[in-house]
Every structure is written in C-alpha cells, then in structure tokens.
Amino acid sequence: MQPLAQLDADLASWARTGQRLRVDAGAPGDVPAPALSPIQTWSPTAHFIAWLRSAAPQASVSNAFADVARVRMVKSAREIALMRKAARLSVDGIAHAAGFVRDGVDERSLEAEFESFCKRGGAQRLPFASIIKSGPNACGPGASSPPTTTAATAPCAMANS
C-alpha cells in the first residue's frame, strides 16, 4: 500500500505509459462521466471518477465492476463470521424493537430502538434505511385493506475491522 501523496505521481506515470486505469463504477457498462448538478451530491465513487478524469484526461479509464463483483463473491472465514454476526444482531434488534410495539408508539420510535440496539451491539451503520410501518401507513399507496401492524427493518452492517 502506498501513501495517498504518491497517487498523483503514480497516476501521471500510468497515464504517460498508456496503462489503462480500472475503477469499479458501481454498475456494469461504461464508466459514466459524473453529471454536474447544483443540487446533487456525488457519491465517493463519482467524485473519484471525476477527479481521475480531471487529473489524467489522456488516460484510458475502464470499468472493473465485473472483476470486483467476481472477487467479492468469494468470502473469507472472517467475512462469513461478520455476516453471521450482522444477521444475528439484526434478528435480535428486530425482536428488541418489537418489544416496544403498542398503542401510541410511532414508527420513528421503533426505528430508533432497532438502530440503537444494532449500534450498541457493534454495527457500524445500517446498509439502508429501516422500513417500519403500521396502521394506515402499513401497505403504502393503493392499499385497500391495511393490516393492523407490519414491521420490517434493514439489516445491520458490521465494520470490517
């Protein structure tokens, strides 16, 4: 691993010698040119791609998404253990939050119970937002007869350290 300060010099050298630069663009296909918008926040990947194209405009940049996806499919024993821990923490967090279901408790409060349980249990973050619904909110748009209570949550995400 090289220090970040070395990246500019390495990038210039790679571009000068015609090496193709490969970046995981997050989806298959060509590496997109990030769209500049006054109200949109770029993802770290989009920001890096924009920086890369700015720092080495002559460089050939291709998508490594498929290669990275193939490598990520094979999990180490440590990754499997973390996935099992995250799954167990998610299940326990759902059970914990379910213990707070009663009249007058809103969805945000249940979400807070679930998320704080996961974080106290070692979760770094949640990989996506929790979905907890009840009453008239339970079935979403177009619902004809909502159930009394429905709850679903996001799984926990464990730090890889």
Side-chain angles (χ1 to χ4, degrees):
M1 182 178 268
Q2 300 293 324
L4 187 56
Q6 183 66 38
L7 183 57
D8 286 327
D10 287 344
L11 181 58
S13 172
W14 297 329
R16 190 173 47 257
T17 59
Q19 292 186 44
R20 183 173 24 172
L21 307 176
R22 296 182 41 94
V23 62
D24 179 354
D30 293 333
V31 177
L36 183 58
S37 167
I39 59 171
Q40 183 178 359
T41 303
W42 283 353
S43 69
T45 300
H47 186 271
F48 179 72
I49 291 168
W51 173 84
L52 194 61
R53 288 198 162 142
S54 171
Q58 74 282 17
S60 170
V61 180
S62 66
N63 196 347
F65 175 80
D67 296 323
V68 171
R70 216 174 2 268
V71 169
R72 292 180 74 188
M73 283 194 277
V74 178
K75 302 296 182 203
S76 69
R78 187 166 188 279
E79 288 172 309
I80 292 168
L82 283 170
M83 291 169 66
R84 287 186 173 135
K85 182 177 179 183
R88 172 73 347 215
L89 188 57
S90 297
V91 168
D92 292 347
I94 291 168
H96 170 78
F100 290 86
V101 174
R102 61 184 153 280
D103 286 345
V105 176
D106 65 13
E107 291 96 338
R108 287 182 309 246
S109 297
L110 295 174
E111 180 182 42
E113 287 297 333
F114 170 74
E115 290 182 13
S116 65
F117 181 91
C118 288
K119 289 180 180 180
R120 284 191 309 269
Q124 178 184 18
R125 60 178 175 77
L126 300 180
F128 48 86
S130 298
I131 301 169
I132 300 176
K133 295 183 171 191
S134 65
N137 297 328
C139 289
S144 57
S145 57
T148 305
T149 302
T150 298
T153 62
C156 299
M158 305 306 294
N160 194 11
S161 56

